[in-house]
Amino acid sequence: MGLNSTRVEDLSGHACNETFVTFEESEQHRTELRILNHEPLEVHRVCLPPHKTTLQKLKQRLLEVFFPDDPLHKFKNQTCLMKFVLGLQFFFPVFEWGPQYNLKLLRADIISGLTIASLAIPQGISYAKLANLPPIVGLYSSFVPPLIYSVLGSSRHLAVGPVSIASLVMGTMLSEAVSYTEEPVLYLQLAFTATLFAGLFQASLGFFRLGFIIDFLSKATLVGFMAGAAVIVSLQQLKGLLGMVHFTNQMQIVPVLASVFKHKDEWSWQTIVMGVSFLVFLLTTRQISTRNPKKFWLSAASPLASVIISTLVVSILKSKAHGIQTIGHLQKGLNPPSMNMLTLSGPYLPLAIKTGIVSGILALTEGIAVGRTFAALKNYQVDGNKEMMAIGLMNMAGCCSSCYVTTGSFSRSAVNYNAGAQTVVSNIIMATAVLITLLFLMPLFYYTPIVILAAIIITAVIGLIDYQAAFRLWKVDKFDFLACLCSFFGVLFISVPLGLAIAVGVSVFKILLHVTRPNINVLGKIPGTQVYQNLNRYKTADRIPSFLILAVEAPIYFANSTYLQERILRWIREEEERIAANKETAIKCVIIDMTAVSTIDSSGIDTICELRRTLDKRSLKLVLANPGGNVMEKLHESSALEGFGLKGIYLTVSEAVADISSLWKNEPELSV
């Protein structure tokens, strides 16, 4: 036995007396007894929400849109000094974990930092090649950005540097307009300028808390896009893997394959043997590490080991390895300043802006997704908007120090996590190792074969093909699977940017389809309960004679109001036809369950009023059940409630059915 206190209001918004109800017997049994004894039923009237001014509503809405996580809650009830300290920690997370840092954490970070450095150095050189940039730029991009992120970033395990997808997109979009072989200086200028705009865009999203924009890149879209990009990247590496000199600049699968077989006379058997051998070695170590995470060091060390071994082989056999192309001379020294190379005017500026935004979005999506993945494994939070600002500022600083677009890499972050990284100091250790390489070890890469870089890239991007995720999409949501396929084939046969645009378009179309064509279900009563559920889902649910109960599962506004009206009238027609065929009791009342209707606009209100008038002409009563506070307030302010009256709005479907049934029993003339 328990007490339930319910405060109710009438439709005008005035407070009603509080009513206390004792549940000594079931609600269903009590309702049946009252109906049989012709006793008045207790009906809970639907309350209006507390009154708020327009300014208060706007403030609340803006807070919900831009500050759903309430990032400033820590500053409440704090002294000025404490607010200053919290402010430093908020903008510079290093001040949060720095005071608690100790030698034990440093030891773990040194191990993980050196481990990811062994992966970052060969990958940096390889990914720069993928972006059609000088190899040294890849190492520059593995030095400055990690240092910036270690001060501003909030993820403890994100390993920062160049990534394959952003490199591919930048290389593809820029090379369509500028040849990196004929105009290398202009190409480099555009790459740095695109990096600047990528950073500006990323930081702006974080500063203005517009991170929800990247949510339009759905999981299904990214699965297909990354798989298609992985195939394209792998096919592009056939140039290095086969030792070819002439190769197409196009990225579609057909021109790439045509170029491979058109220049068969350029294939080098020495290059093929070395490339296939090291590719098998890299894939084998990767597979071993995947199956046994404790042996993560195998896949982490194998790229650097491949570079060292292949370089030694070529340098020893250089007189007999003329067919194997090598990297050649790489300049020693720190990152040179590149601010003077930024192109902020001229005919190529739109290209740089477009390239920066597209590559920036993809880099941001990957970085935040990776950071949140490993944060969830260690049970800590990563602030998405702060991450956007950190990655954006990191790229803005990078474009001024000869770096191109960087973000958090999944492969390096996974190695970082498995190696036992505790803080972002692992990025500092990695950057220190890259610094030593830049200052002292660059001549050692002179004889490094290009075919090894191709093998490293292929090994890295193969992991982007997630066929299991595609299979799950097919099982769970066919429309998501269609978006995945559109993204995949768009990248393969059209282009990388257009393939991504097609996939986003399909995802947006899916959203519009759900919004403009919402679900409407016919409800029935579950026997022995006061619960009403979908008749198609629950075969034991019973239809209530004389009632048609419909549930709308979406907001009602201009985009779907006409459809909802037409669909509800069709439901009524189909139900009348079914009743006539089975010779059952005719419909006298239509109840719309509005539990899932979160909001309504003026078009939706007009549709509800027009539907009520249409049903009135057919001697059918329209009743609304459980409208939300926002819906109720707008119905009240528009005076639409006056047409429904006190018996047109109910708190639950069960109360509506019971109360209207009792009215019909007490006043038989109403049922005529």
Side-chain angles (χ1 to χ4, degrees):
M1 183 176 73
L3 294 178
N4 177 32
S5 174
T6 307
R7 189 175 189 273
V8 297
E9 297 183 12
D10 61 22
L11 298 182
S12 64
H14 299 296
C16 302
N17 294 330
E18 293 187 349
T19 304
F20 292 91
V21 184
T22 304
F23 291 93
E24 293 183 346
E25 52 191 0
S26 70
E27 181 185 354
Q28 178 193 3
H29 184 56
R30 182 188 62 185
T31 302
E32 292 173 352
L33 286 176
R34 289 191 170 187
I35 293 175
L36 290 173
N37 296 329
H38 303 285
E39 296 179 7
L41 287 171
E42 179 185 9
V43 177
H44 300 83
R45 293 176 183 169
V46 181
C47 301
L48 288 169
H51 176 73
K52 292 182 179 179
T53 65
T54 302
L55 187 60
Q56 288 174 325
K57 293 177 185 176
L58 179 62
K59 179 182 178 181
Q60 181 181 359
R61 187 59 182 160
L62 290 176
L63 287 175
E64 290 176 354
V65 171
F66 296 106
F67 301 95
D69 54 344
D70 190 15
L72 303 179
H73 69 281
K74 294 182 179 180
F75 293 83
K76 296 176 182 178
N77 304 320
Q78 298 290 346
T79 63
C80 292
L81 178 60
M82 194 61 191
K83 286 181 179 179
F84 176 75
V85 173
L86 290 174
L88 282 178
Q89 294 177 350
F90 182 81
F91 291 105
F92 304 98
V94 64
F95 289 104
E96 185 174 356
W97 55 263
Q100 287 82 37
Y101 201 72
N102 54 48
L103 289 175
K104 181 179 179 182
L105 296 177
L106 178 62
R107 183 168 60 251
D109 287 335
I110 288 176
I111 294 173
S112 57
L114 293 175
T115 304
I116 57 175
S118 67
L119 183 61
I121 292 171
Q123 279 192 351
I125 296 173
S126 303
Y127 290 157
K129 175 179 174 292
L130 187 59
N132 301 319
L133 294 169
I136 192 68
V137 174
L139 290 180
Y140 291 158
S141 303
S142 300
F143 171 53
V144 172
L147 295 177
I148 303 295
Y149 183 82
S150 63
V151 177
L152 301 175
S154 58
S155 172
R156 304 172 196 166
H157 300 94
L158 198 67
V160 172
V163 294
S164 58
I165 295 299
S167 302
L168 170 68
V169 170
M170 176 171 284
T172 302
M173 297 183 70
L174 293 181
S175 60
E176 288 177 353
V178 178
S179 172
Y180 59 91
T181 54
E182 297 177 3
E183 300 177 282
V185 176
L186 176 60
Y187 188 92
L188 197 58
Q189 291 174 339
L190 292 178
F192 294 151
T193 306
T195 302
L196 170 64
F197 285 106
L200 282 172
F201 181 73
Q202 293 166 336
S204 298
L205 287 182
F207 182 78
F208 293 107
R209 305 188 70 82
L210 298 174
F212 58 85
I213 291 177
I214 66 172
D215 292 337
F216 282 98
L217 288 175
S218 65
K219 172 68 174 177
T221 298
L222 290 175
V223 167
F225 174 79
M226 289 189 172
V231 174
I232 288 296
V233 169
S234 299
L235 291 176
Q236 280 283 328
Q237 301 317 304
L238 291 177
K239 176 185 178 182
L241 205 62
L242 300 175
M244 299 173 63
V245 178
H246 299 92
F247 204 74
T248 180
N249 291 327
Q250 300 182 56
M251 301 298 292
Q252 297 86 349
I253 186 172
V254 175
V256 169
L257 291 177
S259 180
V260 168
F261 292 102
K262 181 180 179 181
H263 301 286
K264 288 191 295 183
D265 55 313
E266 296 182 2
W267 293 9
S268 168
W269 69 267
Q270 300 104 318
T271 303
I272 294 174
V273 170
M274 175 175 282
V276 171
S277 300
F278 280 100
L279 182 61
V280 171
F281 168 69
L282 290 168
L283 291 175
T284 301
T285 56
R286 182 180 180 276
Q287 187 67 16
I288 293 173
S289 298
T290 302
R291 292 185 176 183
N292 188 356
K294 292 183 179 180
K295 296 183 179 180
F296 67 90
W297 53 271
L298 279 176
S299 62
S302 57
L304 185 60
S306 300
V307 168
I308 294 173
I309 295 172
S310 62
T311 302
L312 288 174
V313 170
V314 172
S315 61
I316 293 173
L317 303 176
K318 55 186 175 183
S319 59
K320 300 180 181 180
H322 297 294
I324 300 178
Q325 303 174 38
T326 60
I327 293 177
H329 175 71
L330 293 178
Q331 183 179 353
K332 291 195 300 182
L334 294 176
N335 302 32
S338 56
M339 187 177 296
N340 61 324
M341 298 187 70
L342 298 178
T343 305
L344 302 179
S345 61
Y348 293 108
L349 181 60
L351 173 65
I353 294 174
K354 183 174 67 172
T355 303
I357 291 176
V358 174
S359 59
I361 289 176
L362 291 171
L364 203 57
T365 303
E366 181 175 356
I368 292 178
V370 172
R372 286 176 173 169
T373 297
F374 292 105
L377 294 176
K378 284 295 187 178
N379 196 30
Y380 67 92
Q381 295 292 322
V382 169
D383 188 327
N385 289 291
K386 287 167 65 176
E387 285 295 285
M388 292 178 195
M389 292 183 64
I391 294 174
L393 293 172
M394 174 181 78
N395 281 314
M396 290 170 65
C399 75
C400 299
S401 53
S402 300
C403 305
Y404 75 107
V405 175
T406 54
T407 188
S409 164
F410 185 83
S411 59
R412 287 192 294 275
S413 298
V415 170
N416 198 30
Y417 175 83
N418 290 324
Q422 298 298 314
T423 68
V424 287
V425 171
S426 60
N427 275 287
I428 299 177
I429 303 301
M430 178 190 72
T432 303
V434 174
L435 172 63
I436 294 173
T437 303
L438 287 169
L439 292 177
F440 306 109
L441 305 180
M442 298 311 296
L444 300 179
F445 291 98
Y446 185 89
Y447 287 107
T448 300
I450 292 177
V451 66
I452 291 303
L453 304 183
I456 291 172
I457 291 175
I458 292 174
T459 305
V461 299
I462 279 180
L464 299 177
I465 303 176
D466 193 349
Y467 65 90
Q468 293 180 339
F471 181 69
R472 285 194 299 271
L473 290 175
W474 169 256
K475 289 180 62 178
V476 176
D477 191 326
K478 301 298 188 293
F479 211 112
D480 273 351
F481 183 74
L482 176 63
C484 177
L485 286 184
C486 288
S487 180
F488 179 73
F489 288 112
V491 170
L492 284 185
F493 293 101
I494 303 177
S495 71
V496 173
L498 286 179
L500 182 62
I502 291 172
V504 172
V506 172
S507 297
V508 172
F509 176 74
K510 177 186 175 183
I511 295 173
L512 294 176
L513 188 63
H514 286 313
V515 167
T516 59
R517 295 295 183 268
N519 289 333
I520 306 177
N521 299 313
V522 180
L523 305 185
K525 182 182 177 183
I526 305 295
T529 72
Q530 293 296 322
V531 177
Y532 288 78
Q533 284 292 344
N534 188 344
L535 286 170
N536 288 329
R537 287 180 59 200
Y538 297 88
K539 303 301 182 183
T540 58
D542 297 326
R543 297 177 185 268
I544 306 299
S546 303
F547 289 91
L548 174 61
I549 307 170
L550 302 173
V552 178
E553 299 182 346
I556 302 176
Y557 57 107
F558 70 94
N560 61 18
S561 57
T562 302
Y563 167 79
L564 287 173
Q565 182 179 5
E566 294 173 350
R567 192 65 186 90
I568 290 173
L569 291 175
R570 177 184 164 189
W571 272 117
I572 295 172
R573 187 186 73 246
E574 292 175 349
E575 185 68 7
E576 289 175 338
E577 292 172 355
R578 187 194 66 80
I579 288 173
N582 296 326
K583 298 180 180 181
E584 297 178 359
T585 306
I587 300 174
K588 291 186 287 186
C589 180
V590 177
I591 301 176
I592 299 181
D593 183 359
M594 302 186 72
T595 303
V597 180
S598 58
T599 187
I600 191 170
D601 68 355
S602 56
S603 298
I605 293 172
D606 291 341
T607 296
I608 293 292
C609 294
E610 185 178 345
L611 182 62
R612 180 185 57 78
R613 289 191 294 267
T614 301
L615 297 184
D616 281 345
K617 294 177 182 179
R618 299 169 58 175
S619 300
L620 295 175
K621 182 179 179 63
L622 178 64
V623 171
L624 306 181
N626 195 26
N630 183 278
V631 175
M632 194 66 183
E633 183 180 27
K634 290 185 178 181
L635 291 174
H636 173 66
E637 292 175 350
S638 65
S639 301
L641 292 179
E642 296 175 2
F644 285 91
L646 294 176
K647 296 298 182 181
I649 309 286
Y650 288 87
L651 187 62
T652 65
V653 172
S654 60
E655 286 188 4
V657 172
D659 188 49
I660 296 172
S661 298
S662 68
L663 290 176
W664 289 341
K665 290 181 181 294
N666 291 332
E667 302 178 23
E669 66 274 10
L670 293 178
S671 62
V672 178

